[in-house]
Amino acid sequence: MLSHRGVAASGAFALLSIWYNLQVVGHIYKTVVIGAGISGLACAFRLRQLGIQAVLLEASGRAGGMVSTVRRNGFVFEAGPQCPRFPAAVWNLVRELNLEREFVAGDPKAKRYILRDGRLHLAPFSPGGLLATRLVGPQSKYRLLSEALRNSHPPSEEESLAEFVERKFGAEVLDYLADPFISTVFFGDAHKMGMESAFPALVEWERSRGSVVRGALSAYKSKRDAGKSSHLPSQRDSNAKHRGLYVTDALPSLGSFRGGMATLAEKLAEKLGEDVHFGAQVESIVATRAGNSASEAAWQIRASGGQEFSAEAVVLAVPAYAAASLLQQNAPHLSRLLAAIEYAPMGIVSSAYDRKQVRHALNGFGFMVPRREGLHTVCTFWNSSLFPAHAPQGTVLMTSFVRGAGGGLMSAPYDVFAETVEAENAKVLEISGAPIERTLWRYPRALPQYNVGHAHRVSEIREALNELPGLGLAGNYLMGRSIGDCAESGFQAAEKLRGHMRN
Ligand SMILES: Cc1cc2nc3c(=O)[nH]c(=O)nc-3n(C[C@H](O)[C@H](O)[C@H](O)COP(=O)(O)OP(=O)(O)OC[C@H]3O[C@@H](n4cnc5c(N)ncnc54)[C@H](O)[C@@H]3O)c2cc1C
């Protein structure tokens, strides 16, 4: 038992310690989230909904990270997602933020084209389309259409996407059907992408059913049957329906906002208000203790300009390489795992023309370019066909993703970079003259690559994270690169910290 003098001394020590914290590091936050991309915004928003105070630190002067929109002279230029899918996680956010009226649906059936020998061909999405296409020859068609009638099994070691497609369908299918999609969606290299890491469902279907098509059909049937048996709406569902918040599978799957994709990030940041600190590049984080108590911070965070923050828990919602560098001192094993994740470079050129300058009808989503065609362009989206309000009347807007791997154009002067890509578009779409507006971006590290071994690395990352209860990770290298996966990773990090706070 403590004497009166002991009690007084320990009380004085506690007061001193609180005074020290307030003087040196100011307020002790429950949580600091680092990075205001979609992952960090979703995490901070969910923490607030859970009643956990969170401050969000962002290096740049705006929210959204890779989701970025430039609005100029009536044009809406997108640096990131052009017409993404809105899965339930994102759609729920849209509703919670009252953004439904700002949403503009994209046509999921809009035609996609693939370039072969300089000509655009419709991308085949049905057996009929496959029979009709000139993108691949009869032997490739036969191998694709007869897959359900054959038996095969994946090898025991993870294979690359290229190995998988060549084994099952041949090189032509890899070059003219698989590669253009992989390059457009993942900025990936089929020879490096891992099947278990990027497409675990396909591996499972082949393993369990001996055929990807049979596996897919059986998964579809099970999902449909499960949907039928849970058809009666629960109390919560019917309340939600009453309020116009009924979430079903029939959500608008593709789309954007009147003011472009940044609308979502801007609204999230607006809701978080003064809890978002822009221009706060975090330079170091230091774990001061392992446990959890209200009066003592577990993490000291130092941001640019000497700003200091103390928090009981911290979430790193930054790219894997940035998280790796922040964790080098405190969690070297986790840091090494994060540092090993490869990122692909990517350039974006968004150009606007007077309608009369472009001969092509631009009737669809846009076109994809197989690597074999030897162009710098990976794909070109026809933004003004998808969202007419994103360009003034009488004009058209298109956005190209540009191959970054191999250097070359990525380090060329800006004019050369843009004009090279515009010349490639001009040839395919019969465009005359220079654009009337243009915006471009170059990302040396655009997206994480789900290469062979990535799934295993992510499970090691999760194991290492379990040893650090007051630390959360969120981002596009964990569950998937889509905005829906990023939002989910932010929500999961928030839930993990709620569990930690309760202990
Ligand atoms: C060109 C392109 C097209 C895409 N198309 C689609 C699509 O069609 N559909 C789809 O669903 N997804 C698409 N994506 C993917 C999706 O946009 C990204 O995966 C997602 O936006 C990543 O969000 P994030 O929050 O995890 O990371 P980021 O957006 O990278 O955000 C990380 C944030 O952390 C900040 N930061 C970094 N270091 C620090 C530090 N030390 N201190 C403070 N802040 C820091 C950064 O400034 C940034 O704001 C596309 C991406 C790109 C680039």
Side-chain angles (χ1 to χ4, degrees):
M1 225 166 106
L2 284 174
S3 65
H4 285 303
R5 201 181 283 176
V7 170
S10 72
F13 178 77
L15 278 175
L16 259 176
S17 133
I18 291 168
W19 177 85
Y20 173 81
N21 270 320
L22 288 173
Q23 293 302 306
V24 177
V25 292
H27 184 71
I28 300 171
Y29 292 95
K30 279 275 178 209
T31 317
V32 165
V33 179
I34 304 172
I38 287 298
S39 306
L41 287 162
C43 180
F45 189 65
R46 179 54 54 88
L47 283 167
R48 176 179 282 200
Q49 288 176 324
L50 295 172
I52 299 171
Q53 178 204 28
V55 65
L56 180 54
L57 306 180
E58 166 56 42
S60 74
R62 59 166 190 86
M66 286 295 179
V67 176
S68 166
T69 305
V70 170
R71 299 153 187 137
R72 196 171 61 231
N73 296 333
F75 292 99
V76 176
F77 299 97
E78 297 284 7
Q82 306 292 312
C83 179
R85 225 172 65 74
F86 276 60
V90 179
W91 192 242
N92 285 340
L93 271 180
V94 170
R95 285 173 167 155
E96 282 164 350
L97 295 166
N98 272 329
L99 280 177
E100 284 149 295
R101 293 172 133 225
E102 296 302 310
F103 178 80
V104 233
D107 175 7
K109 293 201 177 114
K111 292 174 183 157
R112 278 107 164 139
Y113 296 86
I114 295 176
L115 192 73
R116 179 157 192 179
D117 302 327
R119 290 196 47 222
L120 293 182
H121 300 260
L122 265 184
F125 288 106
S126 64
L130 193 57
L131 280 172
T133 191
R134 290 189 171 181
L135 283 165
V136 292
Q139 188 152 9
S140 300
K141 291 179 189 183
Y142 172 75
R143 288 181 76 174
L144 280 162
L145 291 168
S146 63
E147 199 270 348
L149 308 174
R150 288 180 276 124
N151 263 318
S152 64
H153 288 282
S156 51
E157 296 281 298
E158 181 174 20
E159 61 184 342
S160 71
L161 175 74
E163 286 165 338
F164 168 82
V165 178
E166 282 186 325
R167 170 170 66 80
K168 288 189 67 78
F169 309 112
E172 194 183 36
V173 173
L174 172 66
D175 289 343
Y176 285 97
L177 295 181
D179 167 74
F181 280 98
I182 295 309
S183 301
T184 299
V185 175
F186 296 94
F187 309 171
D189 178 344
H191 292 273
K192 290 181 170 180
M193 274 184 90
M195 283 303 291
E196 304 260 8
S197 301
F199 306 101
L202 298 193
V203 181
E204 184 43 38
W205 292 337
E206 193 189 11
R207 188 173 287 136
S208 61
R209 296 268 158 176
S211 147
V212 172
V213 173
R214 288 202 301 274
L217 287 174
S218 131
Y220 170 76
K221 209 165 150 277
S222 317
K223 198 174 163 197
R224 194 192 53 194
D225 294 347
K228 267 188 200 154
S229 61
S230 61
H231 195 64
L232 287 177
S234 64
Q235 184 60 36
R236 192 163 152 253
D237 287 343
S238 48
N239 286 343
K241 192 173 187 177
H242 189 65
R243 295 194 305 268
L245 293 169
Y246 192 48
V247 177
T248 72
D249 271 353
L251 299 170
S253 64
L254 292 175
S256 182
F257 299 94
R258 273 178 231 288
M261 282 304 297
T263 304
L264 181 63
E266 289 162 357
K267 193 71 178 183
L268 278 163
E270 187 192 307
K271 286 275 174 199
L272 293 166
E274 287 180 355
D275 288 337
V276 190
H277 295 229
F278 291 111
Q281 162 110 29
V282 173
E283 289 163 352
S284 72
I285 62 169
V286 177
T288 53
R289 67 184 170 80
N292 176 33
S293 98
S295 63
E296 208 183 333
W299 298 90
Q300 298 291 344
I301 296 124
R302 177 182 277 269
S304 46
Q307 299 176 79
E308 297 260 4
F309 299 84
S310 292
E312 287 184 38
V314 66
V315 177
L316 300 180
V318 295
Y321 53 85
S325 106
L326 290 173
L327 290 169
Q328 227 167 353
Q329 300 300 323
N330 294 288
H333 172 60
L334 178 55
S335 165
R336 275 194 297 278
L337 289 169
L338 290 162
I341 297 174
E342 190 185 323
Y343 275 69
M346 178 61 74
I348 321 284
V349 177
S350 198
S351 315
Y353 299 90
D354 202 288
R355 186 67 189 90
K356 289 189 228 106
Q357 289 179 265
V358 185
R359 199 135 172 226
H360 194 279
L362 307 182
N363 50 337
F365 213 91
F367 68 94
M368 295 172 272
V369 185
R371 215 172 288 256
R372 281 228 175 264
E373 290 292 297
L375 302 189
H376 296 282
T377 306
V378 170
C379 59
T380 297
F381 294 87
W382 299 332
N383 306 79
S384 49
S385 303
L386 290 163
F387 307 116
H390 283 187
Q393 236 179 356
T395 66
V396 294
L397 178 63
M398 57 186 77
T399 303
S400 299
F401 292 177
V402 188
R403 275 175 228 291
L409 210 50
M410 285 294 277
S411 49
Y414 271 91
D415 281 0
V416 175
F417 172 68
E419 283 162 14
T420 306
V421 177
E422 284 160 357
E424 291 183 352
N425 277 323
K427 207 163 166 199
V428 177
L429 303 171
E430 297 184 79
I431 303 173
S432 56
I436 52 174
E437 281 280 351
R438 164 200 289 161
T439 304
L440 35 115
W441 296 265
R442 283 192 281 206
Y443 301 119
R445 291 190 275 195
L447 282 184
Q449 295 302 292
Y450 283 50
N451 289 341
V452 172
H454 182 78
H456 180 66
R457 186 172 294 122
V458 169
S459 62
E460 287 186 294
I461 287 173
R462 292 198 190 283
E463 267 170 41
L465 204 53
N466 284 340
E467 305 296 312
L468 300 155
L471 178 71
L473 292 177
N476 56 7
Y477 57 91
L478 289 166
M479 304 170 61
R481 108 266 171 255
S482 75
I483 52 169
D485 295 326
C486 291
E488 290 280 9
S489 83
F491 297 154
Q492 280 189 11
E495 297 289 348
K496 177 190 165 178
L497 293 193
R498 175 167 62 171
H500 168 66
M501 301 280 168
R502 275 196 192 130
N503 294 332

